[in-house]
């Protein structure tokens, strides 16, 4: 089992082109931890904003009567990928992993694979 700090390091080191990572509580919008970022990428602001994305998707799934869980949500920008992965299981209920990637230097499939591995190992 990995702590939040170890999980953030694995997210950043395990993916080429990673710009920032966060573990976020989507019930409150608070980041439990962040790593990376820049003056142009405030991970605390991004964590709070992406909480609304998760809540909207969960609400929409409920309204549509869709069963199952969200594996991940991908937001594609001109130069970046933003990947949101809700953590399943008892220890992660209400939390999500958030990873920002440089689009030109990253492999999206590998990033999704790495996030799945981090999700399985994280212990909150």
């Amino acid at each position: 089992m990995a702590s939040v700090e170890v999980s953030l390091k694995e997210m950043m080191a395990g993916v080429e082109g990673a710009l920032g990572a966060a573990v976020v509580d989507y019930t409150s919008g608070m980041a439990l931890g962040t790593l990376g970022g820049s003056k142009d990428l405030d991970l605390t602001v991004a964590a709070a904003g992406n909480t609304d994305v998760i809540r909207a998707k969960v609400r929409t799934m409920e309204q549509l009567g869709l069963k199952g869980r969200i594996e991940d949500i991908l937001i594609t920008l001109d130069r970046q990928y933003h990947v949101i992965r809700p953590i399943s299981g008892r220890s992660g209920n209400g939390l999500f992993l958030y990873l920002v990637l440089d689009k030109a230097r990253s492999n999206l499939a590998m990033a999704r694979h790495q996030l799945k591995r981090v999700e399985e190992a994280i212990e909150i």
Side-chain angles (χ1 to χ4, degrees):
M1 294 295 172
S3 68
V4 170
E5 183 179 331
V6 169
S7 296
L8 290 167
K9 288 178 182 175
E10 288 178 1
M11 289 165 64
M12 290 293 290
V15 180
E16 176 89 21
L19 301 173
V23 176
V24 185
D25 177 348
Y26 71 78
T27 58
S28 68
M30 299 287 294
L32 303 180
T34 64
L35 187 61
S38 66
K39 67 179 180 72
D40 297 325
L41 178 60
D42 184 330
L43 291 169
T44 304
V45 172
N50 284 305
T51 295
D52 292 334
V53 173
I54 292 275
R55 288 179 187 158
K57 188 60 193 171
V58 168
R59 188 172 48 252
T60 301
M61 287 177 66
E62 288 171 357
Q63 291 171 344
L64 292 171
L66 297 175
K67 303 297 181 210
R69 68 178 194 90
I70 300 168
E71 283 188 20
D72 55 42
I73 297 170
L74 171 64
I75 300 169
T76 305
L77 304 178
D78 289 345
R79 295 189 175 115
Q80 297 175 345
Y81 292 124
H82 292 233
V83 185
I84 302 166
R85 185 174 184 92
I87 300 173
S88 60
R90 292 181 318 177
S91 69
N93 196 21
L95 302 177
F96 67 89
L97 303 175
Y98 174 60
L99 182 61
V100 180
L101 304 165
D102 179 315
K103 194 173 176 182
R105 296 186 308 124
S106 63
N107 179 319
L108 186 55
M110 291 302 296
R112 291 184 68 222
H113 178 72
Q114 181 69 6
L115 284 179
K116 181 179 179 185
R117 290 181 51 211
V118 170
E119 176 197 359
E120 291 169 351
I122 195 168
E123 181 68 34
I124 307 296

